[in-house]
Amino acid sequence: MASGTILPLQLDDLAFEAVGKRLIDGISLTIGGGPRTIILGPNGAGKSLLLRLCHGLLQPAAGTIRWRGPGAAGNGRRQAMVFQHPVMLRRSAAANIDYALRLKRIPRTLRRARIREVLDDTGLSDLAHRPARTLSIGEQQRLALARAWAAAPEVLFLDEPTANLDPSATRAIEDVIAAIDLSGTKIVMTTHDLGQARRLADEIVFLHRGRLLEQRPAVEFFARPLTAEAAAFIEGKLLW
């Protein structure tokens, strides 16, 4: 098994096309370890597509995506992704996590302890034996985070994990994301929510029309945007 970090993740002149239209256009960037990276931009900017490309779910039309760390050979087992609408298996909350850990070939004795730990850390202990599909949307999203976190991924991709959730459920999800970050997992997350980006981001990757316009520390991005598009977005103006 490969040892060492899989990071950084390097994208060079990345492009993606669908139905003859270029949706990701010439993106080059490097994502390193440590600080939380938030991919920000208006709807249709290409945020979710970029995340899927990074995770390996989609293949680019042009350009390259490379994990450059010494442990890169094992990257598929050391990264995970949580989607905006997670899929719950027809079994209990605890069994959903157990299934994911079995796929990672984690021994049963270790699985039991880890399941209890992540259910507790995500506030779902009392729901461990509840059928996962009967949970609320917010609870299902927390379960999806617990399921991904259980295997201790080095990198966790999150695609708009609080979309369509009420403020209370959103806060609960953000608390879990902060805990995952503190555990040492690199967070790479998409959002179009400026307030959420301000709360969670250490680094901003700003997209517009499939292009990378800025990649900067969050404090600098919000205080002094370098592009007219970023400034307009921060001011709440519509971008075309």
Side-chain angles (χ1 to χ4, degrees):
M1 181 177 177
S3 61
T5 179
I6 62 175
L7 292 166
L9 177 60
Q10 183 175 325
L11 282 57
D12 290 306
D13 203 22
L14 196 68
F16 180 80
E17 298 177 352
V19 198
K21 184 177 181 180
R22 181 154 290 200
L23 303 175
I24 296 292
D25 192 5
I27 290 181
S28 295
L29 62 85
T30 299
I31 297 175
R36 289 174 284 198
T37 297
I38 300 296
I39 301 174
L40 181 66
N43 291 330
K47 304 183 297 297
S48 294
L49 281 176
L50 182 61
L51 210 66
R52 285 164 168 74
L53 286 161
C54 289
H55 185 48
L57 291 177
L58 297 174
Q59 294 301 310
T64 58
I65 305 169
R66 295 188 180 96
W67 296 93
R68 302 306 295 263
N75 78 80
R77 295 178 61 85
R78 297 173 61 188
Q79 54 156 314
M81 185 165 175
V82 172
F83 298 90
Q84 181 175 335
H85 303 291
V87 176
M88 295 289 109
L89 302 176
R90 291 183 181 274
R91 56 194 74 186
S92 70
N96 264 264
I97 301 171
D98 184 69
Y99 180 78
L101 293 178
R102 280 194 287 120
L103 290 180
K104 299 288 186 179
R105 298 182 180 179
I106 295 173
R108 178 179 294 180
T109 54
L110 297 179
R111 294 202 307 266
R112 289 174 178 171
R114 185 58 178 153
I115 290 167
R116 287 194 298 269
E117 182 180 13
V118 295
L119 285 172
D120 184 57
D121 288 344
T122 54
L124 295 171
S125 294
D126 291 343
L127 303 175
H129 302 296
R130 183 86 61 83
R133 294 188 178 185
T134 68
L135 302 179
S136 71
I137 298 302
E139 289 165 347
Q140 287 189 23
Q141 192 63 284
R142 276 189 283 151
L143 178 56
L145 287 169
R147 188 170 58 187
W149 189 14
E154 183 180 350
V155 180
L156 181 57
F157 296 104
L158 304 175
D159 187 16
E160 302 258 12
T162 62
N164 303 317
L165 296 182
D166 62 35
S168 177
T170 294
R171 177 59 184 270
I173 294 294
E174 291 183 358
D175 287 345
V176 173
I177 292 169
I180 296 173
D181 172 57
L182 286 174
S183 76
T185 293
K186 167 72 179 189
I187 299 294
V188 183
M189 173 178 154
T190 64
T191 187
H192 63 270
D193 185 326
L194 280 168
Q196 185 169 73
R198 290 180 187 273
R199 291 190 298 273
L200 296 181
D202 298 306
E203 174 187 54
I204 294 289
V205 171
F206 181 71
L207 302 185
H208 181 49
R209 292 185 176 178
R211 291 180 175 272
L212 172 65
L213 298 190
E214 299 196 31
Q215 182 182 15
R216 302 173 63 209
V219 172
E220 296 179 9
F221 173 83
F222 286 114
R224 295 178 299 279
L226 298 177
T227 61
E229 292 86 351
F233 184 75
I234 291 170
E235 292 172 7
K237 297 178 179 178
L238 292 176
L239 294 181
W240 304 99

